[in-house]
């Protein structure tokens, strides 16, 4: 069965790498592209038509929220926000949800969370599976 | 005058000039409609830049003109209007106005309002081209957003209009009437299809999903379906709102919201009741510890909250909407496994109660706080609200950092600072700058330091991280460590220790040290330098002086006689008796060796100085484009005024000429171009009759040929009328009729350079006064250049100006007459010769001799120049002469002595001297003598007039 296509949008190269590793742990999910800001992200969405997007909020050129606004018109991809300002109930998290993000996950140790995989890796994968209507993976 | 302000004005002056000069030639083209996209975009940017520059200096008038011009061009750029000749004209008028305003602003340093008539014309043109009122000032963000959504602004506009007209019909899906439900289904299908075509997948999904959800028109939707329809309408409502926001166009959000509000009257109460019910089920499940049941109940609450939110949002009750969203979010999490509590259920109940009471919007803030507080998994601290940072453990922490700190983080932070006595620092780093350094830094963060958290900081389109770090190191030690880690400040931008004050204690600041460095450096770095012309000239002068000084050395070093003498002495010494020879010979050898050394050194010095000189001359060289820039506009204006159709082709703009020639060339080129348009190029009817294309072609071309430059102005017009010129020349007495008949056409053409000659039937405003061509020729000559011309009757005329690349240097031949040295420019020197006195014949008043199989008239240079003094001594039997000519005449100039060939650096002439005929310049030679440089052409002229008046020269019998 074909894998689901994931686009990773985050302004930090380190985070993009870490997130890619997180997604790679699940055989049914595949990272097909990256973007370092919202503007590039929109281009990639047009090119790649991903099934889901992991989206940071604080980025130069075009923020995650601005990208979400356009995605709300343009793309069917399910958007999961992964951000240091994404604490449950925070203003940014709420705005992201209002603009159509299906889930918001907080980075555990700030914008650059080297411990993202340890602390939230599982949660991110589960959120993706849920959004993509896949059965919960192992250890859910 | 404040130097910063002064610098700003200078920058403004130069840059505004550059932009305006870049705009003109493009707009002045004959076919503005065919100007390509890229150039249109460039024009737009140029106007935009001028606008920005004007704004910086508070020149509102200029800004307004530039803004309106930019707007008009914006329509062209978007493909909504063509760049017709009228619009191009109007834009050129704007350029004129901007130039004038710029000049005035620089002179008077103040703002002036734009010309109202021009502004009105621009506004009218804008409206006429399809620009709307709002568009006159679209916020920059909207214009860009439009492009991101869709490439075709027209299609986008149509789509948005469609959404506006049919969107609200979707709300009919909730209606009790079958007819309205049918309409809703139809609207959903149509809009869905349109959205698919536009590539708006999300919208297409919304409309399509909505359509699919609708039951067949004869069936009314049941409660469940109704809830879902409502939720989807809420989504669509938001999409309509965003569509309007992104495009700056009304997408019908008002109508949609109104239609939705109208339909959901009863739903609100029903939903509020259902919510309370579901919440009760959650409590029950929590009490019995029934996980799955709790999850299901929570999911129900989330679903219902979403549906209710749609209606609330349509009423613009923003706070209420937020609260409901919060409920939806929190309950979703519970449904996915997050722990729930009765506190949460209580808070939610309070919310639902308010819905019924219609007081949700007001109570929203408090309710939201309650909800957040009650949710177990919620992390992060609420923002301070009043702005500013809060003190944590006595330290001033920025709000943004505080917001992302979890409870654990915060506790760790406080513990570290208070109990263990670690130092708190904020480190701003841009890790993408250097991956090695970033790696080391991260290692340090993960190891010795305790990184609490970090946040994104975006400056200048770059994102950095600000790390909140605890470290056992004291400030100095930390600064040391970080400096060692990143000595060039590639990654680490700012380090400060957190204190009770907002600023903290600064330890490292890349921006500040860069500013300090820049201040220490006298000027900034750049690939290009703007240097005042006078500085370059002064530099060149110095080098010139140096060369002149060196030439004295050259003379001494190259003294052949001395060499001979030394050799002779040596040979003599070699023949001396032993004892004397031993004494003298080594000395003489040393002298010879020193002489050789002197020669070598002088050669190297000369060569080096020559190279230095060449490099320095390069500083003075600018692209010819500078002169060419004004011409397209001129051609366009003239063509328009005279009703002619002309295409101007410009080539070789990058060819470079000496700066001094730029101004000098401007007038001659303008005159030649004017001539070509006025007299050379025929009106369209005449061209048609002659079987030529209606559009005439005028070509302006610069090309480099060795150390010279050719500038050609060629037209495909009428060509010169040799007969008319012949007649005029005879009539003016410039030539006898008989002689004129003998002359070939090419020679006749040269008469157009004579002063006072014009064959134009009417003296037009633009040219034809007959004072032009001779001035042109003189100007070109003064640059040590020349003009040649070709012309074919009926086909066209071409003028070629030939100029040296560098005007400053003059190759000359130095001669001596009556004890005075004079320099003759090499370009007129054909040869140097010594004629036996017997070979000079007298014919009437003219002396002549046989030279290379032709008769060479001879003139005393002193006589031509009117220099009196001692008559040349007839000591030797040979008369040195300089054979001089300009391709048309050749004469022999008698001089006392021929000194040498010399490259002379011309010095500016005193105005009194400059008026003296035949003097072309002055210079200084090796021993400090001033040497006058003659004007070859004028010399030849003087001689020529001598020829005309004398009797014809009889050919000499061969001797």
């Amino acid at each position: 069965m074909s894998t689901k296509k994931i686009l990773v949008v985050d302004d930090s190269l380190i985070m993009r790498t870490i997130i890619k590793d997180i997604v790679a742990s699940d055989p049914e999910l595949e990272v097909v592209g990256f973007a370092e800001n919202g503007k590039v992200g929109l281009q990639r969405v047009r090119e790649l038509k991903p099934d889901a997007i992991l989206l940071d909020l604080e980025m130069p050129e075009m923020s995650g929220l601005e990208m979400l606004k356009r995605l709300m018109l343009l793309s069917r991809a399910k958007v999961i926000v992964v951000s240091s300002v994404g604490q449950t109930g925070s203003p940014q998290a709420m705005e992201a949800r209002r603009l159509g993000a299906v889930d918001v996950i907080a980075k555990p140790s700030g914008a650059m969370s080297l411990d993202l995989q340890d602390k939230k890796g599982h949660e991110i994968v589960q959120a993706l599976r849920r959004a993509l209507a896949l059965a919960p993976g192992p250890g859910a | 005058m404040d130097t910063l302000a002064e610098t700003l004005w200078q920058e403004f002056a130069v840059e505004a000039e550059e932009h305006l000069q870049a705009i003109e030639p493009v707009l002045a083209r004959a076919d503005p409609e065919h100007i390509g996209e890229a150039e249109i975009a460039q024009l737009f940017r140029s106007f935009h830049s001028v606008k920005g520059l004007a704004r910086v200096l508070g020149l509102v008038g200029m800004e307004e003109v530039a803004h309106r011009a930019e707007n008009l061009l914006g329509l062209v750029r978007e493909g909504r209007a063509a760049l017709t000749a009228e619009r191009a004209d109007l834009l050129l008028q704007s350029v004129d106005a901007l130039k004038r305003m710029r000049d005035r602003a620089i002179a008077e340093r103040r703002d002036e309002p734009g010309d109202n008539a021009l502004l009105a014309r621009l506004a009218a043109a804008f409206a006429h081209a399809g620009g709307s009122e709002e568009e006159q000032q679209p916020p920059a963000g909207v214009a860009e957003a439009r492009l991101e959504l869709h490439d075709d602004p027209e299609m986008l506009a149509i789509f948005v209009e469609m959404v506006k007209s049919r969107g609200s019909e979707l709300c009919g899906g909730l209606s009790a009437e079958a007819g309205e439900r049918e309409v809703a289904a139809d609207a959903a299908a149509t809009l869905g299809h349109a959205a698919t075509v536009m590539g708006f997948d999300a919208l297409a999904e919304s409309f399509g999903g909505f359509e699919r959800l609708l039951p067949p028109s004869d069936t009314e939707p049941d409660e469940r379906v109704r809830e879902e329809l409502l939720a989807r309408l809420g989504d669509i409502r938001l999409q309509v709102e965003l569509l309007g926001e992104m495009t700056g166009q009304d997408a019908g959000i008002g109508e949609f919201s109104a239609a939705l509000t109208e339909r959901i009257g009863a739903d609100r109460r029903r939903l509020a009741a259902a919510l309370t019910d579901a919440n009760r089920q959650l409590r029950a499940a929590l009490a019995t510890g029934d996980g799955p049941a709790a999850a299901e109940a929570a999911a129900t609450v989330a679903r219902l909250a979403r549906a209710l939110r749609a209606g609330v949002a349509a009423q613009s009750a923003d706070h209420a909407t937020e609260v409901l969203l919060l409920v939806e979010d929190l309950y979703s999490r519970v449904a996915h496994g997050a722990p729930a509590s009765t506190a949460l259920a209580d808070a939610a109940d309070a919310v639902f109660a308010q819905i019924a009471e219609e007081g949700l919007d007001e109570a929203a803030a408090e309710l939201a706080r309650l909800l957040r507080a009650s949710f177990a998994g919620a992390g992060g601290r609420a923002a301070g609200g009043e702005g500013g940072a809060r003190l944590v453990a006595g330290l001033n922490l920025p709000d943004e950092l505080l917001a992302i700190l979890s409870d654990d983080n915060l506790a760790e932070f406080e513990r570290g600072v208070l109990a263990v006595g670690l130092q708190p620092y904020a480190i701003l780093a841009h890790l993408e700058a250097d991956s090695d350094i970033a790696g080391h830094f991260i290692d340090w963060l993960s190891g010795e330091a305790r990184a609490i958290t970090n946040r994104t900081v975006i400056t200048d389109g770059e994102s950095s991280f600000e790390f909140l770090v605890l470290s056992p190191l004291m400030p100095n030690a930390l600064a040391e460590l970080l400096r060692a880690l990143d000595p060039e400040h590639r990654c680490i931008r700012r380090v400060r220790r957190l204190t009770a004050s907002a600023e903290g204690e600064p330890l490292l600041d890349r921006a500040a040290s860069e500013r300090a460095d820049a201040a220490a450096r006298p000027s900034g770095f750049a690939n290009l330098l703007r240097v005042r012309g006078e500085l370059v000239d002064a530099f060149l002068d110095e080098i010139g002086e140096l060369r002149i000084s060196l030439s004295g050395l050259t003379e001494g070093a190259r003294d052949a006689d001395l060499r001979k003498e030394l050799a002779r002495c040596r040979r003599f010494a070699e023949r001396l008796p032993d004892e004397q020879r031993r004494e003298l010979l080594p000395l003489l050898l040393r002298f010879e060796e020193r002489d050789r050394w002197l020669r070598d050194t002088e050669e190297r010095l000369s060569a080096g100085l020559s190279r230095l000189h060449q490099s320095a001359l390069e500083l003075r060289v600018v692209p010819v484009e500078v002169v060419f820039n004004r011409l397209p506009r001129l051609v366009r204006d003239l063509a328009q005024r005279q009703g002619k159709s002309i295409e101007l082709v410009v080539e070789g703009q990058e060819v470079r000429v000496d700066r001094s020639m730029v101004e000098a060339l401007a007038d001659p080129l303008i005159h030649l171009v004017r001539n070509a348009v006025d007299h050379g190029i025929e009106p369209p009817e005449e061209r048609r009759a002659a079987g030529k294309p209606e559009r005439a072609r005028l070509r302006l071309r610069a090309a480099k040929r060795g150390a010279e430059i050719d500038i050609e102005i060629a037209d495909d017009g009428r060509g010169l009328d040799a007969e008319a010129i012949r007649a005029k020349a005879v009539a003016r007495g410039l030539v006898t009729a008989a002689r004129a008949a003998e002359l070939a056409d090419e020679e006749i053409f040269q008469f157009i350079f004579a002063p006072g000659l014009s064959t134009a039937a009417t003296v037009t405003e633009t040219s034809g006064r007959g004072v032009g061509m001779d001035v042109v020729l003189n100007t070109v000559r003064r640059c040590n250049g020349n003009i040649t011309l070709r012309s074919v009757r009926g086909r066209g005329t071409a003028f070629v100006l030939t100029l040296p690349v560098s005007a400053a240097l003059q190759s000359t031949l130095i001669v001596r007459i009556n004890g005075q040295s004079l320099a003759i420019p090499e370009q007129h020197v054909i040869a140097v010769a010594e004629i036996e006195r017997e070979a000079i014949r007298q014919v009437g008043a003219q002396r002549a001799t046989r030279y290379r199989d032709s008769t060479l008239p001879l003139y005393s240079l002193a006589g031509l120049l009117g220099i009196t003094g001692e008559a040349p001594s007839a000591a030797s039997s040979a008369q040195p002469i300089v054979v001089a000519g300009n391709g048309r005449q050749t004469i022999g100039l008698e001089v006392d002595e021929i000194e040498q060939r010399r490259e002379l650096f011309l010095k500016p002439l005193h105005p009194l001297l400059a008026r003296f005929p035949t003097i072309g310049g002055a210079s200084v030679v090796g021993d400090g003598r001033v040497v006058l440089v003659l004007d070859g052409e004028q010399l030849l002229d003087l001689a020529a007039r001598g020829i005309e008046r004398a009797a014809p020269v009889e050919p000499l019998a061969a001797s």
Side-chain angles (χ1 to χ4, degrees):
Chain A
M1 129 167 130
S2 64
T3 54
K4 297 291 186 183
K5 299 188 287 184
I6 317 289
L7 175 70
V8 177
V9 185
D10 192 307
D11 59 343
S12 160
L13 174 60
I14 298 169
M15 290 315 292
R16 293 199 295 272
T17 315
I18 292 176
I19 294 171
K20 174 165 166 253
D21 287 341
I22 292 173
V23 174
S25 67
D26 188 316
E28 291 181 87
L29 306 171
E30 185 195 350
V31 172
V32 296
F34 299 94
E36 64 269 23
N37 62 52
K39 209 161 188 169
V40 178
L42 285 172
Q43 280 172 326
R44 295 276 177 275
V45 167
R46 274 207 187 91
E47 291 159 20
L48 303 167
K49 296 226 188 288
D51 299 305
I53 303 173
L54 291 170
L55 180 63
D56 186 15
L57 291 182
E58 311 270 291
M59 300 183 290
E61 280 276 359
M62 185 190 284
S63 69
L65 290 176
E66 286 297 312
M67 186 182 168
L68 265 176
K69 283 185 188 171
R70 287 138 178 95
L71 286 174
M72 243 221 139
L73 298 172
L74 296 172
S75 165
R76 291 188 218 205
K78 308 288 181 203
V79 180
I80 295 173
V81 166
V82 181
S83 168
S84 57
V85 296
Q87 290 77 12
T88 307
S90 75
Q92 292 93 331
M94 286 295 96
E95 182 65 4
R97 293 280 277 126
R98 185 183 82 94
L99 291 173
V102 301
D103 214 332
V104 179
I105 297 175
K107 285 179 180 169
S109 327
M112 194 179 79
S113 289
L114 298 172
D115 52 356
L116 184 68
Q117 179 139 23
D118 292 336
K119 299 215 173 120
K120 297 277 176 127
H122 182 78
E123 193 178 328
I124 291 172
V125 170
Q126 289 313 313
L128 277 169
R129 292 188 73 93
R130 209 167 36 232
L132 295 166
L134 296 171
Chain B
M1 170 84 62
D2 168 25
T3 43
L4 176 62
E6 193 55 43
T7 311
L8 273 175
W9 277 104
Q10 279 177 16
E11 284 295 318
F12 166 75
V14 173
E15 292 199 27
E17 171 93 9
E18 279 177 10
H19 286 301
L20 290 171
Q21 279 199 353
I23 293 173
E24 249 195 319
V26 180
L27 280 176
R29 290 209 205 128
D31 245 343
E33 303 210 17
H34 292 148
I35 296 177
E37 257 182 56
E39 284 184 294
I40 295 282
Q42 185 56 53
L43 284 177
F44 181 88
R45 282 195 292 272
S46 295
F47 272 112
H48 187 78
S49 299
V50 172
K51 179 173 87 166
L53 285 165
R55 193 185 313 151
V56 166
L57 284 159
L59 301 170
V60 177
M62 264 188 88
E63 190 189 340
E64 184 66 30
V65 174
H67 178 63
R68 295 203 185 191
E70 179 195 353
N71 277 346
L72 186 57
L73 263 174
L75 292 177
V76 176
R77 189 180 71 155
E78 287 173 23
R80 291 165 62 183
L83 186 56
T84 60
E86 293 83 40
R87 289 182 185 135
D89 210 55
L90 187 53
L91 288 170
L92 277 172
Q93 288 172 31
S94 310
V95 171
D96 283 339
L98 286 168
K99 278 188 185 173
R100 275 196 307 270
M101 293 168 88
R102 169 195 164 271
D103 290 341
R104 283 275 287 277
I106 292 169
E108 296 171 30
R109 302 291 164 101
R110 58 184 188 82
D111 183 29
E112 76 170 90
D115 171 23
N116 277 326
L118 176 63
L119 288 172
R121 284 200 297 279
L122 280 166
F126 181 75
H128 188 70
S132 69
E133 262 311 317
E134 306 100 47
E135 278 178 291
Q136 287 268 12
Q137 313 271 350
V142 173
E144 281 188 30
R146 243 183 276 178
L147 288 170
E148 277 149 20
L149 284 181
H150 201 269
D151 304 324
D152 188 339
E154 252 183 66
M155 269 189 82
L156 183 58
I158 293 172
F159 176 72
V160 175
E161 188 54 42
M162 188 191 281
V163 168
K164 177 172 192 282
S165 70
R166 302 215 60 186
S168 45
E169 289 169 16
L170 293 171
C171 303
L174 293 169
S175 164
E177 286 184 39
E180 288 185 336
R181 293 200 298 273
E182 231 175 87
V183 167
D186 186 60
T190 309
L191 288 172
H193 181 71
T196 308
V197 166
M198 291 294 287
F200 291 168
D201 288 350
L203 268 174
E205 165 113 343
S206 292
F207 293 132
F210 186 80
E211 193 205 345
R212 283 191 297 275
L213 192 57
L214 284 169
S217 52
D218 52 359
T219 323
E220 232 186 288
D222 67 21
E223 256 183 41
R224 259 318 278 269
V225 172
R226 222 184 140 77
E227 274 156 25
E228 190 56 33
L229 285 173
L230 193 50
R232 295 200 185 200
L233 283 172
D235 288 342
I236 293 175
R237 197 203 72 87
L238 178 58
Q239 284 169 320
V240 169
E241 190 179 352
L242 287 172
L243 189 64
E245 197 185 303
M246 297 277 107
T247 61
Q249 197 178 333
D250 180 10
I253 185 64
E255 293 97 311
F256 196 100
S257 300
L260 188 54
T261 308
E262 209 188 295
R263 304 273 181 210
I264 59 168
D267 293 275
R268 284 175 66 105
R269 292 191 175 273
R270 199 173 50 75
L271 284 168
L275 276 165
T276 316
D277 259 347
N279 213 19
R280 207 177 308 130
Q281 279 169 34
L282 174 66
R283 278 181 205 279
L286 284 177
T288 60
D290 186 350
E296 206 185 307
T300 307
V301 170
R303 187 174 50 88
L304 292 168
R306 179 168 162 238
L308 184 57
R309 181 161 59 95
V312 171
Q315 289 177 299
S316 301
D318 288 339
H319 300 297
T321 310
E322 273 170 42
V323 173
L324 285 172
L325 181 57
L326 191 51
V327 169
E328 183 188 334
D329 184 58
L330 296 177
Y331 274 75
S332 297
R333 291 175 191 272
V334 171
H336 297 144
S341 63
T342 44
L344 179 63
D346 287 342
D349 271 338
V351 172
F352 306 146
Q354 283 298 340
I355 297 168
E357 309 270 327
E358 306 271 346
L360 187 55
D361 212 37
E362 278 161 40
E366 180 57 25
L367 290 169
R369 200 189 56 77
L370 256 174
L371 279 167
R372 283 194 196 98
S374 66
F375 186 72
R381 348 232 79 253
E386 302 88 50
R390 273 205 299 140
L391 290 182
V392 175
L395 301 166
N396 197 297
L397 231 59
D399 228 16
E400 302 94 327
L401 268 176
L402 214 48
I404 65 176
L405 282 173
S406 67
D407 282 336
D408 287 340
N409 287 346
L410 199 57
E412 190 189 347
F413 183 73
E414 281 174 323
R415 224 183 10 252
V417 172
L418 295 172
V420 188
L422 296 171
Q423 301 295 324
Y425 299 99
I427 303 177
L428 183 66
H430 178 61
L431 298 176
E432 319 280 318
D434 186 311
S435 51
D436 279 335
I437 294 178
H440 292 314
F441 181 66
I442 290 173
D443 285 340
W444 173 73
L445 277 180
S446 325
E448 295 151 23
R450 220 178 293 177
I452 304 289
T453 190
N454 60 80
R455 66 178 180 114
T456 305
V457 174
I458 298 176
T459 41
D460 290 334
E462 255 185 7
S463 56
S464 308
F465 294 117
E466 186 174 48
F467 294 87
L468 181 59
V469 171
L470 290 177
S471 168
L473 294 175
M474 284 295 136
N476 285 338
L478 179 81
E480 271 294 317
L481 182 141
L482 290 175
R483 235 177 272 131
L485 204 131
D486 186 5
E488 285 166 43
H489 299 309
R490 291 230 190 100
C491 290
I492 298 176
R493 303 285 163 97
R494 203 159 81 106
V495 181
R496 58 197 173 96
R497 187 172 77 96
L498 297 173
T499 63
S501 79
E503 279 307 303
E505 180 191 332
L507 295 172
L508 242 161
D509 191 339
R510 186 178 96 150
S513 60
E514 269 182 355
R515 276 197 296 274
D517 281 349
R521 256 182 271 131
S523 57
F525 57 92
N527 275 338
L528 291 175
L529 292 173
R530 280 213 186 95
V531 181
R532 287 201 328 273
E534 304 87 72
L535 288 181
V536 177
D537 288 342
F539 183 54
L540 275 168
D541 274 348
E542 287 299 332
I543 295 187
E545 294 287 350
L546 205 55
R547 296 187 89 210
I548 288 165
S549 308
L550 183 65
S551 60
L553 183 66
T554 306
E555 280 191 68
R558 298 192 190 173
D559 188 342
D561 288 339
L562 180 64
R563 217 179 317 143
K564 283 194 212 133
E565 289 298 314
L566 278 175
R568 203 165 61 79
C569 285
R570 183 188 15 99
R571 282 193 296 271
F572 176 74
E574 279 166 355
R575 291 196 297 271
L576 287 173
D578 265 357
E579 211 189 297
Q580 291 159 319
R581 183 164 50 107
R582 263 198 305 269
E583 283 232 20
L584 200 52
L585 193 55
L587 209 63
L588 291 171
L589 286 171
R590 284 249 311 273
F591 270 124
E592 278 195 297
E593 198 202 299
R594 182 52 54 90
D595 180 55
R596 266 196 306 277
W597 172 87
L598 191 62
R599 251 181 294 131
D600 282 345
T601 305
E602 183 277 333
E603 260 173 45
R604 274 201 305 276
L605 210 54
S606 256
L609 199 53
S610 207
R611 284 193 301 270
L612 181 63
H613 186 217
Q614 276 305 117
S615 301
L617 287 177
E618 279 287 302
L619 289 174
R620 286 175 52 113
V621 173
V622 297
V624 133
E625 179 183 16
V626 179
V627 203
F628 283 0
N629 246 344
R630 327 170 193 203
L631 298 174
R633 182 72 189 276
L634 175 66
V635 169
R636 187 183 181 279
D637 287 347
L638 287 174
Q640 266 189 356
R641 236 179 290 163
Q642 297 173 24
K644 296 177 182 168
S645 171
I646 305 176
E647 184 191 350
L648 177 67
V649 177
V650 182
E651 292 168 20
Q653 306 197 60
E654 67 287 348
V655 169
R656 294 162 15 112
V657 290
D658 188 272
R659 229 181 85 240
S660 62
M661 276 193 269
V662 164
E663 276 311 307
L665 280 179
D667 282 340
L669 280 179
I670 288 175
H671 191 88
L672 286 169
V673 165
R674 277 205 168 126
N675 260 356
V677 177
D678 288 350
H679 305 304
I681 292 179
E682 319 92 319
E685 317 83 61
E686 204 181 307
R687 285 182 71 88
R688 239 179 297 137
K692 289 183 180 177
E694 254 186 53
R695 168 161 292 174
R697 211 158 188 256
L698 182 58
R699 190 162 73 145
L700 193 58
R701 189 163 65 102
K704 187 153 193 263
R705 226 177 3 99
E708 293 191 314
I709 293 183
D710 288 340
I711 298 182
E712 182 187 67
I713 299 121
D715 65 68
D716 63 354
R718 296 185 180 109
L720 292 176
D721 183 351
E723 280 316 310
I725 300 175
R726 201 173 259 122
K728 246 333 183 351
V730 171
R732 292 280 160 97
L734 295 170
V735 68
T736 63
R739 180 90 183 115
E742 284 173 16
L743 293 173
D745 279 358
E746 294 80 49
E747 294 170 297
I748 291 291
F749 289 155
Q750 296 301 317
F751 280 107
I752 67 173
F753 293 113
L757 191 113
S758 166
T759 57
T762 54
V763 174
T764 62
E765 172 214 318
T766 50
S767 70
R769 285 191 212 102
V771 297
M773 283 315 247
D774 58 326
V775 172
V776 170
L777 184 61
N778 272 339
T779 311
V780 172
R781 290 258 180 85
R782 230 177 291 127
C783 292
N784 293 314
N786 213 345
I787 305 184
T788 52
L789 77 92
R790 310 185 299 274
S791 184
V792 178
R793 190 103 181 100
R795 293 267 296 277
T797 312
F799 286 90
V800 181
L801 281 65
T802 304
L803 302 146
V805 173
S806 160
L809 210 59
Q810 208 32 318
S811 282
T812 65
L813 178 69
I814 305 199
V815 300
R816 212 180 172 80
I817 52 174
N818 289 12
Q820 192 170 352
S821 291
L822 294 168
I824 304 174
E826 189 120 300
Q827 65 200 92
H828 293 118
V829 174
I830 295 172
V832 159
E834 284 198 341
I835 307 280
E836 296 297 313
R837 291 192 193 275
E838 299 95 57
I840 300 176
R841 301 273 191 251
Q842 190 81 22
V843 183
Q846 182 67 48
R847 285 192 311 290
T849 188
R850 200 102 185 118
Y851 179 75
R852 296 210 190 142
D853 299 328
S854 63
T855 307
L856 185 70
L858 294 173
Y859 299 86
S860 150
L861 185 55
L864 277 180
L865 296 176
I867 297 178
T868 54
E870 299 151 26
S873 63
S876 78
S877 62
Q879 166 67 57
I881 62 167
V882 175
V883 182
N886 61 1
R888 282 172 275 138
Q889 319 160 243
T890 308
I891 62 175
L893 294 166
E894 294 164 326
V895 298
D896 295 347
E897 204 182 308
I898 292 175
E899 293 193 5
Q900 60 185 285
R901 283 189 153 74
R902 214 27 164 315
E903 271 205 355
L904 291 185
F905 190 80
L906 287 190
K907 296 206 165 278
L909 267 186
H910 192 280
L912 278 179
L913 267 181
R915 278 199 265 143
F916 202 99
T918 72
I919 302 294
S923 187
V924 173
V925 290
D927 50 4
R929 281 175 294 149
V930 173
V931 155
L932 289 178
V933 180
L934 299 173
D935 183 325
E937 280 298 335
Q938 289 177 7
L939 262 182
L940 288 160
D941 226 32
L942 280 177
R945 275 190 244 138
I947 292 179
E948 288 299 321
R949 287 189 221 108
V953 177
E954 284 163 9
L956 287 173
S959 47

